[in-house]
Amino acid sequence: MYNFNKYDIIGLNYERIGDNMIERLEATLEKYNQLQEELTKPEVLSDIKKTKAYSKEIAELEDIVTCYKKYKKVLEDIENTKEMVKDPELGEMAKEELKNLEEEKIALDSELEVLLIPKDPNDSKNVIMEIRGAAGGDEANIFAGDLFRMYTRYAEKQGFSYQVYNSIDGTAGGFSQIELIIKGNGAYSKLKYESGSHRVQRVPVTESNGRLQTSTATVLVMPEADEDVELEINPNDLRIDIYRSSGCGGQGVNTTDSAVRITHLPTGVVVTCQNERSQIQNKEQAMKVLKSRLYELQEQEKAEKEGNERRSKIGTGDRAEKIRTYNYPQNRVTDHRIGFTTNNLDRIMDGALDDIIDALIQEDQKRKLQGETE
């Protein structure tokens, strides 16, 4: 069997994969093997928390390890095929095979570069999303409702589920505010770029003179905090108000005082949940969301103190930042952060967001790669 090591790779003079990258790949492979070995130990298997943590780490490394092993095998095949090229009978066939292997190696080079980009630890998490009507009165609320449908249709197409935990209907339709959790592996990795101000240009149904109007709705996206996140919430720091539900929560709505509003006094964060059937369920859901919001605040403060906010980050994530325009007369959607434009607004509003989200992910990867080499 071919004895493979990083110096063999470097000796092959393939320019894209350098010494530093190979060291990182070898370290990743070693860590992966160590974790696999740990999972065979009885003391680990008997500890549910450790087993879960190790299994999660293995899953996160799986793609890199699989690609790296394939890369090593391709390099081995390239060396063997180079020897075959010298054979008078097999030379021509070997040359063609060598060409295919070289192309495969180039593709794996690029794939490994992307896989080695530092991962956002929140990427695999569920999403907490808030959509609010902003400038534009009734039309802004109607547009907020359109965005809600767009995101939930996208979630369904991705195999995600969603749950509304609070909503306030607009007087002419849509929502002045709607809050939901989108659940699914990788939900945050797909939707994390959606925070900001979304602008719509169209003739509103509420406009009797047929004039084009510009309105906005804001979107806020946060990762849902894991149950094992260590975050202490002092009960004395909470004000809990109980009142009658006003949203679309099924039987019991408007007949019992089941809605819960929790205010975290030190930070002023307010969470409302009214779409569950009981006060207890609403309180449990509100506490989960509060934990996620406080976790997000804690992470932001930590990033600011350490000064590790990426200069290349796509957008600020602030509600006030204008990120996208939906132009109905021209059936056009433009994402202003990356200059992406598509004339498929009708499909996008029906949840076909893949092209925009893929473009955002690719641009994010590109900027991170540039940051790695600077």
Side-chain angles (χ1 to χ4, degrees):
M1 183 67 182
Y2 182 76
N3 186 18
F4 187 94
N5 60 61
K6 69 176 183 176
Y7 299 104
D8 292 324
I9 301 176
I10 298 164
L12 291 174
N13 195 31
Y14 289 132
E15 67 283 353
R16 287 176 67 91
I17 302 294
D19 195 356
N20 180 55
M21 193 166 171
I22 292 303
E23 287 179 355
R24 290 168 65 188
L25 287 165
E26 285 294 328
T28 299
L29 180 58
E30 183 179 355
K31 183 178 181 182
Y32 179 85
N33 291 333
Q34 287 174 349
L35 288 167
Q36 292 273 33
E37 186 178 340
E38 285 294 313
L39 271 182
T40 65
K41 296 179 179 178
E43 63 268 26
V44 174
L45 291 171
S46 62
D47 188 326
I48 295 175
K49 193 172 181 180
K50 275 188 179 180
T51 301
K52 185 179 177 182
Y54 288 163
S55 297
K56 184 179 179 182
E57 280 193 80
I58 287 172
E60 290 172 349
L61 298 176
E62 195 84 52
D63 288 345
I64 297 177
V65 169
T66 299
C67 187
Y68 185 41
K69 286 180 178 178
K70 190 185 296 184
Y71 181 80
K72 292 166 77 168
K73 180 64 168 60
V74 166
L75 289 182
E76 181 182 342
D77 290 345
I78 285 174
E79 288 302 287
N80 292 335
T81 306
K82 282 181 176 179
E83 291 300 315
M84 291 173 60
V85 169
K86 302 172 185 176
D87 189 298
E89 296 182 3
L90 301 175
E92 287 305 313
M93 184 176 68
K95 284 179 183 178
E96 185 63 28
E97 177 65 15
L98 185 61
K99 179 183 175 184
N100 294 334
L101 287 167
E102 293 278 10
E103 289 175 356
E104 186 177 358
K105 184 215 160 287
I106 290 171
L108 289 169
D109 283 344
S110 299
E111 189 175 346
L112 283 169
E113 278 189 329
V114 171
L115 287 170
L116 280 174
I117 295 172
K119 297 290 187 296
D120 184 334
N122 294 318
D123 273 353
S124 63
K125 296 180 180 178
N126 298 331
V127 160
I128 291 176
M129 178 177 284
E130 300 176 6
I131 306 170
R132 300 172 185 254
D138 288 337
E139 169 64 5
N141 293 340
I142 293 170
F143 180 49
D146 294 337
L147 291 178
F148 168 73
R149 182 181 184 279
M150 179 184 78
Y151 288 124
T152 53
R153 290 286 290 126
Y154 173 75
E156 290 167 355
K157 291 174 190 289
Q158 297 296 311
F160 301 153
S161 62
Y162 68 90
Q163 177 187 7
V164 175
Y165 63 87
N166 183 45
S167 61
I168 302 173
D169 294 341
T171 55
F175 303 96
S176 65
Q177 178 178 334
I178 186 162
E179 300 163 62
L180 64 153
I181 296 177
I182 298 176
K183 300 180 179 181
N185 186 36
Y188 186 73
S189 71
K190 299 280 191 178
L191 292 166
K192 63 183 177 181
Y193 307 103
E194 296 303 300
S195 286
S197 176
H198 295 242
R199 184 174 69 170
V200 63
Q201 294 175 325
R202 65 185 176 189
V203 178
V205 293
T206 56
E207 174 58 62
S208 58
N209 294 322
R211 291 177 299 185
L212 189 70
Q213 181 176 318
T214 299
S215 303
T216 60
T218 61
V219 176
L220 178 64
V221 175
M222 296 177 291
E224 182 182 33
D226 291 334
E227 291 181 6
D228 55 357
V229 167
E230 295 182 5
L231 184 67
E232 289 188 13
I233 300 177
N234 188 338
N236 295 326
D237 289 337
L238 304 178
R239 186 179 73 232
I240 301 176
D241 300 309
I242 310 298
Y243 61 98
R244 187 155 295 181
S245 298
S246 60
C248 46
Q251 286 185 337
V253 172
N254 294 323
T255 61
T256 59
D257 292 336
S258 61
V260 175
R261 181 189 299 111
I262 301 178
T263 304
H264 186 250
L265 299 173
T267 60
V269 171
V270 179
V271 174
T272 300
C273 185
Q274 60 174 323
N275 284 18
E276 299 292 346
R277 292 182 179 272
S278 73
Q279 182 185 128
I280 292 174
Q281 290 174 316
N282 279 322
K283 185 177 178 181
E284 287 176 351
Q285 185 62 67
M287 284 300 296
K288 288 180 182 178
V289 176
L290 177 64
K291 183 179 180 181
S292 296
R293 290 202 187 182
L294 295 179
Y295 171 73
E296 178 74 359
L297 280 176
Q298 179 178 284
E299 290 299 294
Q300 288 176 359
E301 290 173 2
K302 181 180 176 183
E304 287 172 7
K305 285 179 181 177
E306 294 176 357
N308 62 356
E309 278 293 312
R310 289 186 177 274
R311 288 178 291 121
S312 59
K313 186 178 178 182
I314 293 179
T316 63
D318 293 335
R319 282 189 189 273
E321 181 192 17
K322 184 182 76 174
I323 66 167
R324 195 173 297 150
T325 295
Y326 304 74
N327 186 305
Y328 274 71
Q330 298 179 18
N331 196 41
R332 186 181 69 227
V333 177
T334 300
D335 193 290
H336 304 289
R337 296 164 296 178
I338 59 173
F340 179 90
T341 296
T342 178
N343 292 100
N344 293 308
L345 181 145
D346 49 344
R347 293 183 60 252
I348 285 168
M349 298 310 293
D350 194 43
L353 281 166
D354 295 278
D355 287 348
I356 293 180
I357 288 175
D358 287 347
L360 286 161
I361 290 172
Q362 289 171 17
E363 179 63 22
D364 191 32
Q365 290 173 345
K366 176 184 173 183
R367 295 183 187 186
K368 285 176 178 175
L369 277 171
Q370 289 174 342
E372 289 277 310
T373 57
E374 284 177 0

